mmCIF file of all heavy atoms in Angstrom:
data_model
loop_
_atom_site.group_PDB
_atom_site.id
_atom_site.type_symbol
_atom_site.label_atom_id
_atom_site.label_comp_id
_atom_site.label_asym_id
_atom_site.label_seq_id
_atom_site.Cartn_x
_atom_site.Cartn_y
_atom_site.Cartn_z
ATOM 1 N N VAL I 1 -11.798 -8.607 -44.311
ATOM 2 C CA VAL I 1 -12.638 -8.252 -45.450
ATOM 3 C C VAL I 1 -13.046 -6.789 -45.370
ATOM 4 O O VAL I 1 -13.610 -6.346 -44.375
ATOM 5 C CB VAL I 1 -13.908 -9.132 -45.485
ATOM 6 C CG1 VAL I 1 -14.775 -8.754 -46.680
ATOM 7 C CG2 VAL I 1 -13.517 -10.600 -45.541
ATOM 8 N N LYS I 2 -12.768 -6.046 -46.364
ATOM 9 C CA LYS I 2 -13.167 -4.651 -46.437
ATOM 10 C C LYS I 2 -14.633 -4.551 -46.833
ATOM 11 O O LYS I 2 -15.150 -5.423 -47.528
ATOM 12 C CB LYS I 2 -12.299 -3.920 -47.467
ATOM 13 C CG LYS I 2 -10.823 -3.892 -47.087
ATOM 14 C CD LYS I 2 -10.016 -3.161 -48.129
ATOM 15 C CE LYS I 2 -8.536 -3.125 -47.740
ATOM 16 N NZ LYS I 2 -7.734 -2.440 -48.762
ATOM 17 N N PRO I 3 -15.300 -3.448 -46.433
ATOM 18 C CA PRO I 3 -16.732 -3.325 -46.738
ATOM 19 C C PRO I 3 -17.060 -3.455 -48.210
ATOM 20 O O PRO I 3 -18.050 -4.034 -48.590
ATOM 21 C CB PRO I 3 -17.076 -1.928 -46.199
ATOM 22 C CG PRO I 3 -16.059 -1.686 -45.122
ATOM 23 C CD PRO I 3 -14.801 -2.359 -45.595
ATOM 24 N N ASP I 4 -16.205 -2.925 -49.068
ATOM 25 C CA ASP I 4 -16.510 -2.968 -50.491
ATOM 26 C C ASP I 4 -16.184 -4.331 -51.115
ATOM 27 O O ASP I 4 -16.407 -4.536 -52.298
ATOM 28 C CB ASP I 4 -15.758 -1.856 -51.228
ATOM 29 C CG ASP I 4 -14.248 -1.972 -51.074
ATOM 30 O OD1 ASP I 4 -13.798 -2.801 -50.240
ATOM 31 O OD2 ASP I 4 -13.526 -1.259 -51.770
ATOM 32 N N GLN I 5 -15.640 -5.233 -50.296
ATOM 33 C CA GLN I 5 -15.326 -6.565 -50.804
ATOM 34 C C GLN I 5 -16.294 -7.611 -50.258
ATOM 35 O O GLN I 5 -16.054 -8.797 -50.389
ATOM 36 C CB GLN I 5 -13.901 -6.957 -50.395
ATOM 37 C CG GLN I 5 -12.815 -6.099 -51.054
ATOM 38 C CD GLN I 5 -11.436 -6.475 -50.556
ATOM 39 O OE1 GLN I 5 -11.276 -6.909 -49.418
ATOM 40 N NE2 GLN I 5 -10.434 -6.324 -51.402
ATOM 41 N N HIS I 6 -17.376 -7.161 -49.633
ATOM 42 C CA HIS I 6 -18.325 -8.098 -49.016
ATOM 43 C C HIS I 6 -18.927 -9.012 -50.075
ATOM 44 O O HIS I 6 -19.406 -8.560 -51.104
ATOM 45 C CB HIS I 6 -19.434 -7.331 -48.305
ATOM 46 C CG HIS I 6 -20.286 -8.213 -47.464
ATOM 47 N ND1 HIS I 6 -19.897 -8.615 -46.206
ATOM 48 C CD2 HIS I 6 -21.479 -8.797 -47.708
ATOM 49 C CE1 HIS I 6 -20.831 -9.392 -45.706
ATOM 50 N NE2 HIS I 6 -21.799 -9.523 -46.597
ATOM 51 N N LYS I 7 -18.922 -10.290 -49.764
ATOM 52 C CA LYS I 7 -19.386 -11.282 -50.731
ATOM 53 C C LYS I 7 -20.875 -11.539 -50.579
ATOM 54 O O LYS I 7 -21.413 -11.519 -49.484
ATOM 55 C CB LYS I 7 -18.621 -12.591 -50.513
ATOM 56 C CG LYS I 7 -18.925 -13.665 -51.551
ATOM 57 C CD LYS I 7 -18.061 -14.894 -51.321
ATOM 58 C CE LYS I 7 -18.339 -15.970 -52.357
ATOM 59 N NZ LYS I 7 -17.505 -17.172 -52.145
ATOM 60 N N SER I 8 -21.561 -11.746 -51.668
ATOM 61 C CA SER I 8 -22.974 -12.126 -51.642
ATOM 62 C C SER I 8 -23.125 -13.481 -52.320
ATOM 63 O O SER I 8 -22.270 -13.911 -53.084
ATOM 64 C CB SER I 8 -23.839 -11.077 -52.350
ATOM 65 O OG SER I 8 -23.469 -10.963 -53.714
ATOM 66 N N TYR I 9 -24.227 -14.131 -52.022
ATOM 67 C CA TYR I 9 -24.455 -15.482 -52.511
ATOM 68 C C TYR I 9 -25.728 -15.519 -53.353
ATOM 69 O O TYR I 9 -26.831 -15.467 -52.805
ATOM 70 C CB TYR I 9 -24.556 -16.460 -51.342
ATOM 71 C CG TYR I 9 -23.287 -16.519 -50.508
ATOM 72 C CD1 TYR I 9 -23.060 -15.586 -49.500
ATOM 73 C CD2 TYR I 9 -22.326 -17.493 -50.744
ATOM 74 C CE1 TYR I 9 -21.897 -15.625 -48.742
ATOM 75 C CE2 TYR I 9 -21.159 -17.549 -49.998
ATOM 76 C CZ TYR I 9 -20.943 -16.605 -48.993
ATOM 77 O OH TYR I 9 -19.799 -16.655 -48.250
ATOM 78 N N PRO I 10 -25.604 -15.587 -54.675
ATOM 79 C CA PRO I 10 -26.789 -15.608 -55.548
ATOM 80 C C PRO I 10 -27.540 -16.930 -55.451
ATOM 81 O O PRO I 10 -26.949 -17.985 -55.233
ATOM 82 C CB PRO I 10 -26.192 -15.414 -56.955
ATOM 83 C CG PRO I 10 -24.798 -15.946 -56.846
ATOM 84 C CD PRO I 10 -24.344 -15.615 -55.454
ATOM 85 N N CYS I 11 -28.835 -16.850 -55.601
ATOM 86 C CA CYS I 11 -29.682 -18.040 -55.568
ATOM 87 C C CYS I 11 -29.474 -18.864 -56.842
ATOM 88 O O CYS I 11 -29.431 -18.334 -57.948
ATOM 89 C CB CYS I 11 -31.152 -17.638 -55.443
ATOM 90 S SG CYS I 11 -32.301 -19.029 -55.417
ATOM 91 N N SER I 12 -29.344 -20.172 -56.674
ATOM 92 C CA SER I 12 -29.104 -21.075 -57.802
ATOM 93 C C SER I 12 -30.382 -21.513 -58.503
ATOM 94 O O SER I 12 -30.327 -22.186 -59.532
ATOM 95 C CB SER I 12 -28.354 -22.333 -57.328
ATOM 96 O OG SER I 12 -27.109 -21.993 -56.757
ATOM 97 N N TYR I 13 -31.544 -21.134 -57.921
ATOM 98 C CA TYR I 13 -32.797 -21.580 -58.527
ATOM 99 C C TYR I 13 -33.041 -20.831 -59.839
ATOM 100 O O TYR I 13 -32.755 -19.639 -59.955
ATOM 101 C CB TYR I 13 -33.963 -21.338 -57.571
ATOM 102 C CG TYR I 13 -35.277 -21.907 -58.051
ATOM 103 C CD1 TYR I 13 -35.445 -23.279 -58.206
ATOM 104 C CD2 TYR I 13 -36.348 -21.081 -58.352
ATOM 105 C CE1 TYR I 13 -36.638 -23.813 -58.646
ATOM 106 C CE2 TYR I 13 -37.555 -21.609 -58.790
ATOM 107 C CZ TYR I 13 -37.698 -22.962 -58.938
ATOM 108 O OH TYR I 13 -38.884 -23.484 -59.378
ATOM 109 N N LYS I 14 -33.585 -21.523 -60.813
ATOM 110 C CA LYS I 14 -33.796 -20.961 -62.137
ATOM 111 C C LYS I 14 -34.622 -19.674 -62.086
ATOM 112 O O LYS I 14 -35.628 -19.580 -61.397
ATOM 113 C CB LYS I 14 -34.490 -21.987 -63.040
ATOM 114 C CG LYS I 14 -35.812 -22.490 -62.489
ATOM 115 C CD LYS I 14 -36.391 -23.604 -63.338
ATOM 116 C CE LYS I 14 -37.702 -24.127 -62.760
ATOM 117 N NZ LYS I 14 -38.257 -25.244 -63.539
ATOM 118 N N ASP I 15 -34.182 -18.676 -62.821
ATOM 119 C CA ASP I 15 -34.869 -17.388 -62.981
ATOM 120 C C ASP I 15 -34.986 -16.585 -61.695
ATOM 121 O O ASP I 15 -35.722 -15.592 -61.651
ATOM 122 C CB ASP I 15 -36.278 -17.583 -63.576
ATOM 123 C CG ASP I 15 -36.257 -18.242 -64.945
ATOM 124 O OD1 ASP I 15 -35.279 -17.997 -65.679
ATOM 125 O OD2 ASP I 15 -37.192 -18.988 -65.275
ATOM 126 N N CYS I 16 -34.274 -16.979 -60.627
ATOM 127 C CA CYS I 16 -34.307 -16.204 -59.384
ATOM 128 C C CYS I 16 -33.037 -15.359 -59.310
ATOM 129 O O CYS I 16 -31.929 -15.869 -59.445
ATOM 130 C CB CYS I 16 -34.395 -17.119 -58.163
ATOM 131 S SG CYS I 16 -34.465 -16.194 -56.607
ATOM 132 N N ASN I 17 -33.215 -14.063 -59.076
ATOM 133 C CA ASN I 17 -32.083 -13.138 -59.017
ATOM 134 C C ASN I 17 -31.761 -12.675 -57.603
ATOM 135 O O ASN I 17 -30.981 -11.741 -57.415
ATOM 136 C CB ASN I 17 -32.370 -11.912 -59.900
ATOM 137 C CG ASN I 17 -32.543 -12.282 -61.368
ATOM 138 O OD1 ASN I 17 -31.789 -13.108 -61.893
ATOM 139 N ND2 ASN I 17 -33.534 -11.690 -62.022
ATOM 140 N N GLU I 18 -32.371 -13.308 -56.613
ATOM 141 C CA GLU I 18 -32.139 -12.906 -55.226
ATOM 142 C C GLU I 18 -30.729 -13.298 -54.774
ATOM 143 O O GLU I 18 -30.142 -14.265 -55.258
ATOM 144 C CB GLU I 18 -33.166 -13.569 -54.305
ATOM 145 C CG GLU I 18 -34.587 -13.086 -54.506
ATOM 146 C CD GLU I 18 -34.760 -11.624 -54.127
ATOM 147 O OE1 GLU I 18 -34.145 -11.201 -53.121
ATOM 148 O OE2 GLU I 18 -35.480 -10.905 -54.842
ATOM 149 N N LYS I 19 -30.187 -12.507 -53.820
ATOM 150 C CA LYS I 19 -28.885 -12.804 -53.234
ATOM 151 C C LYS I 19 -28.988 -12.718 -51.720
ATOM 152 O O LYS I 19 -29.819 -11.992 -51.187
ATOM 153 C CB LYS I 19 -27.827 -11.811 -53.743
ATOM 154 C CG LYS I 19 -27.571 -11.883 -55.243
ATOM 155 C CD LYS I 19 -26.509 -10.881 -55.658
ATOM 156 C CE LYS I 19 -26.247 -10.942 -57.168
ATOM 157 N NZ LYS I 19 -25.217 -9.964 -57.584
ATOM 158 N N GLU I 20 -28.147 -13.473 -51.036
ATOM 159 C CA GLU I 20 -28.091 -13.440 -49.583
ATOM 160 C C GLU I 20 -26.690 -13.045 -49.137
ATOM 161 O O GLU I 20 -25.701 -13.372 -49.781
ATOM 162 C CB GLU I 20 -28.453 -14.819 -48.998
ATOM 163 C CG GLU I 20 -29.858 -15.294 -49.305
ATOM 164 C CD GLU I 20 -30.925 -14.436 -48.659
ATOM 165 O OE1 GLU I 20 -30.626 -13.764 -47.645
ATOM 166 O OE2 GLU I 20 -32.066 -14.432 -49.166
ATOM 167 N N LEU I 21 -26.610 -12.313 -48.020
ATOM 168 C CA LEU I 21 -25.309 -11.894 -47.494
ATOM 169 C C LEU I 21 -24.578 -13.045 -46.812
ATOM 170 O O LEU I 21 -23.358 -13.033 -46.692
ATOM 171 C CB LEU I 21 -25.502 -10.737 -46.506
ATOM 172 C CG LEU I 21 -26.091 -9.456 -47.104
ATOM 173 C CD1 LEU I 21 -26.235 -8.391 -46.023
ATOM 174 C CD2 LEU I 21 -25.219 -8.944 -48.247
ATOM 175 N N LEU I 22 -25.340 -14.034 -46.363
ATOM 176 C CA LEU I 22 -24.752 -15.236 -45.770
ATOM 177 C C LEU I 22 -25.127 -16.447 -46.621
ATOM 178 O O LEU I 22 -26.195 -16.456 -47.240
ATOM 179 C CB LEU I 22 -25.263 -15.428 -44.342
ATOM 180 C CG LEU I 22 -24.782 -14.400 -43.307
ATOM 181 C CD1 LEU I 22 -25.460 -14.667 -41.969
ATOM 182 C CD2 LEU I 22 -23.277 -14.453 -43.145
ATOM 183 N N PRO I 23 -24.291 -17.465 -46.646
ATOM 184 C CA PRO I 23 -24.604 -18.642 -47.467
ATOM 185 C C PRO I 23 -25.802 -19.418 -46.943
ATOM 186 O O PRO I 23 -25.901 -19.684 -45.747
ATOM 187 C CB PRO I 23 -23.321 -19.483 -47.379
ATOM 188 C CG PRO I 23 -22.675 -19.059 -46.112
ATOM 189 C CD PRO I 23 -22.987 -17.602 -45.964
ATOM 190 N N VAL I 24 -26.725 -19.732 -47.829
ATOM 191 C CA VAL I 24 -27.857 -20.598 -47.521
ATOM 192 C C VAL I 24 -27.657 -21.841 -48.374
ATOM 193 O O VAL I 24 -28.075 -21.894 -49.523
ATOM 194 C CB VAL I 24 -29.194 -19.904 -47.840
ATOM 195 C CG1 VAL I 24 -30.363 -20.798 -47.448
ATOM 196 C CG2 VAL I 24 -29.292 -18.564 -47.130
ATOM 197 N N LEU I 25 -26.998 -22.817 -47.792
ATOM 198 C CA LEU I 25 -26.532 -23.973 -48.556
ATOM 199 C C LEU I 25 -27.445 -25.172 -48.339
ATOM 200 O O LEU I 25 -27.731 -25.546 -47.206
ATOM 201 C CB LEU I 25 -25.105 -24.324 -48.130
ATOM 202 C CG LEU I 25 -24.334 -25.311 -48.988
ATOM 203 C CD1 LEU I 25 -24.042 -24.723 -50.355
ATOM 204 C CD2 LEU I 25 -23.025 -25.693 -48.298
ATOM 205 N N CYS I 26 -27.908 -25.760 -49.439
ATOM 206 C CA CYS I 26 -28.695 -26.997 -49.353
ATOM 207 C C CYS I 26 -27.731 -28.144 -49.054
ATOM 208 O O CYS I 26 -26.790 -28.372 -49.825
ATOM 209 C CB CYS I 26 -29.446 -27.257 -50.655
ATOM 210 S SG CYS I 26 -30.282 -28.873 -50.700
ATOM 211 N N PRO I 27 -27.914 -28.857 -47.941
ATOM 212 C CA PRO I 27 -26.973 -29.930 -47.595
ATOM 213 C C PRO I 27 -27.072 -31.153 -48.494
ATOM 214 O O PRO I 27 -26.252 -32.050 -48.409
ATOM 215 C CB PRO I 27 -27.381 -30.293 -46.147
ATOM 216 C CG PRO I 27 -28.815 -29.916 -46.063
ATOM 217 C CD PRO I 27 -28.977 -28.694 -46.949
ATOM 218 N N TYR I 28 -28.077 -31.166 -49.379
ATOM 219 C CA TYR I 28 -28.276 -32.324 -50.254
ATOM 220 C C TYR I 28 -27.605 -32.110 -51.616
ATOM 221 O O TYR I 28 -26.796 -32.915 -52.053
ATOM 222 C CB TYR I 28 -29.766 -32.598 -50.419
ATOM 223 C CG TYR I 28 -30.457 -32.829 -49.105
ATOM 224 C CD1 TYR I 28 -31.180 -31.811 -48.482
ATOM 225 C CD2 TYR I 28 -30.369 -34.053 -48.450
ATOM 226 C CE1 TYR I 28 -31.799 -32.016 -47.256
ATOM 227 C CE2 TYR I 28 -30.985 -34.278 -47.231
ATOM 228 C CZ TYR I 28 -31.695 -33.244 -46.629
ATOM 229 O OH TYR I 28 -32.299 -33.440 -45.419
ATOM 230 N N CYS I 29 -27.946 -31.009 -52.282
ATOM 231 C CA CYS I 29 -27.326 -30.743 -53.595
ATOM 232 C C CYS I 29 -26.120 -29.813 -53.473
ATOM 233 O O CYS I 29 -25.410 -29.584 -54.455
ATOM 234 C CB CYS I 29 -28.356 -30.162 -54.563
ATOM 235 S SG CYS I 29 -29.012 -28.541 -54.094
ATOM 236 N N GLU I 30 -25.916 -29.228 -52.257
ATOM 237 C CA GLU I 30 -24.769 -28.370 -51.950
ATOM 238 C C GLU I 30 -24.707 -27.117 -52.830
ATOM 239 O O GLU I 30 -23.629 -26.644 -53.170
ATOM 240 C CB GLU I 30 -23.466 -29.169 -52.054
ATOM 241 C CG GLU I 30 -23.408 -30.343 -51.081
ATOM 242 C CD GLU I 30 -22.082 -31.080 -51.127
ATOM 243 O OE1 GLU I 30 -21.340 -30.896 -52.116
ATOM 244 O OE2 GLU I 30 -21.794 -31.840 -50.184
ATOM 245 N N LYS I 31 -25.870 -26.585 -53.169
ATOM 246 C CA LYS I 31 -25.936 -25.334 -53.929
ATOM 247 C C LYS I 31 -26.486 -24.226 -53.041
ATOM 248 O O LYS I 31 -27.179 -24.492 -52.059
ATOM 249 C CB LYS I 31 -26.824 -25.501 -55.163
ATOM 250 C CG LYS I 31 -26.282 -26.481 -56.187
ATOM 251 C CD LYS I 31 -27.219 -26.597 -57.384
ATOM 252 C CE LYS I 31 -26.694 -27.590 -58.408
ATOM 253 N NZ LYS I 31 -27.618 -27.736 -59.572
ATOM 254 N N HIS I 32 -26.179 -22.972 -53.402
ATOM 255 C CA HIS I 32 -26.656 -21.823 -52.633
ATOM 256 C C HIS I 32 -28.038 -21.392 -53.130
ATOM 257 O O HIS I 32 -28.308 -21.385 -54.332
ATOM 258 C CB HIS I 32 -25.682 -20.647 -52.780
ATOM 259 C CG HIS I 32 -24.357 -20.884 -52.118
ATOM 260 N ND1 HIS I 32 -24.177 -20.781 -50.769
ATOM 261 C CD2 HIS I 32 -23.148 -21.225 -52.633
ATOM 262 C CE1 HIS I 32 -22.915 -21.045 -50.463
ATOM 263 N NE2 HIS I 32 -22.272 -21.326 -51.583
ATOM 264 N N PHE I 33 -28.904 -20.989 -52.171
ATOM 265 C CA PHE I 33 -30.237 -20.513 -52.519
ATOM 266 C C PHE I 33 -30.623 -19.339 -51.628
ATOM 267 O O PHE I 33 -30.014 -19.114 -50.569
ATOM 268 C CB PHE I 33 -31.269 -21.639 -52.368
ATOM 269 C CG PHE I 33 -31.043 -22.803 -53.280
ATOM 270 C CD1 PHE I 33 -30.359 -23.926 -52.848
ATOM 271 C CD2 PHE I 33 -31.486 -22.758 -54.601
ATOM 272 C CE1 PHE I 33 -30.121 -24.994 -53.701
ATOM 273 C CE2 PHE I 33 -31.251 -23.816 -55.462
ATOM 274 C CZ PHE I 33 -30.571 -24.934 -55.017
ATOM 275 N N CYS I 34 -31.630 -18.594 -52.064
ATOM 276 C CA CYS I 34 -32.161 -17.517 -51.239
ATOM 277 C C CYS I 34 -33.089 -18.130 -50.185
ATOM 278 O O CYS I 34 -33.375 -19.327 -50.212
ATOM 279 C CB CYS I 34 -32.913 -16.498 -52.100
ATOM 280 S SG CYS I 34 -34.397 -17.173 -52.909
ATOM 281 N N LEU I 35 -33.560 -17.314 -49.258
ATOM 282 C CA LEU I 35 -34.410 -17.829 -48.176
ATOM 283 C C LEU I 35 -35.686 -18.456 -48.720
ATOM 284 O O LEU I 35 -36.178 -19.448 -48.199
ATOM 285 C CB LEU I 35 -34.758 -16.696 -47.210
ATOM 286 C CG LEU I 35 -33.605 -16.175 -46.349
ATOM 287 C CD1 LEU I 35 -34.083 -15.036 -45.475
ATOM 288 C CD2 LEU I 35 -33.017 -17.283 -45.497
ATOM 289 N N ARG I 36 -36.232 -17.874 -49.779
ATOM 290 C CA ARG I 36 -37.492 -18.369 -50.329
ATOM 291 C C ARG I 36 -37.339 -19.758 -50.941
ATOM 292 O O ARG I 36 -38.278 -20.568 -50.927
ATOM 293 C CB ARG I 36 -38.016 -17.395 -51.374
ATOM 294 C CG ARG I 36 -39.368 -17.801 -51.945
ATOM 295 C CD ARG I 36 -39.850 -16.798 -52.954
ATOM 296 N NE ARG I 36 -41.154 -17.167 -53.494
ATOM 297 C CZ ARG I 36 -41.762 -16.527 -54.472
ATOM 298 N NH1 ARG I 36 -41.215 -15.454 -55.006
ATOM 299 N NH2 ARG I 36 -42.942 -16.935 -54.916
#
């Protein structure tokens, strides 16, 4: 992976625009979320 191709993971919660560099996956609904 090149630096300019680094993937981010947007939060799936409504109206939240935060992104994480690593996946924060809920094991129940299997969606990505921010730390908060």
Side-chain angles (χ1 to χ4, degrees):
V1 180
K2 297 180 180 179
D4 60 350
Q5 294 177 330
H6 190 81
K7 185 176 181 180
S8 62
Y9 299 84
C11 179
S12 300
Y13 186 64
K14 57 186 179 182
D15 300 328
C16 181
N17 298 318
E18 293 294 321
K19 296 180 180 180
E20 298 294 337
L21 297 180
L22 291 176
V24 183
L25 192 67
C26 173
Y28 303 99
C29 64
E30 299 184 343
K31 295 180 181 179
H32 292 283
F33 297 96
C34 64
L35 290 178
R36 183 179 181 186

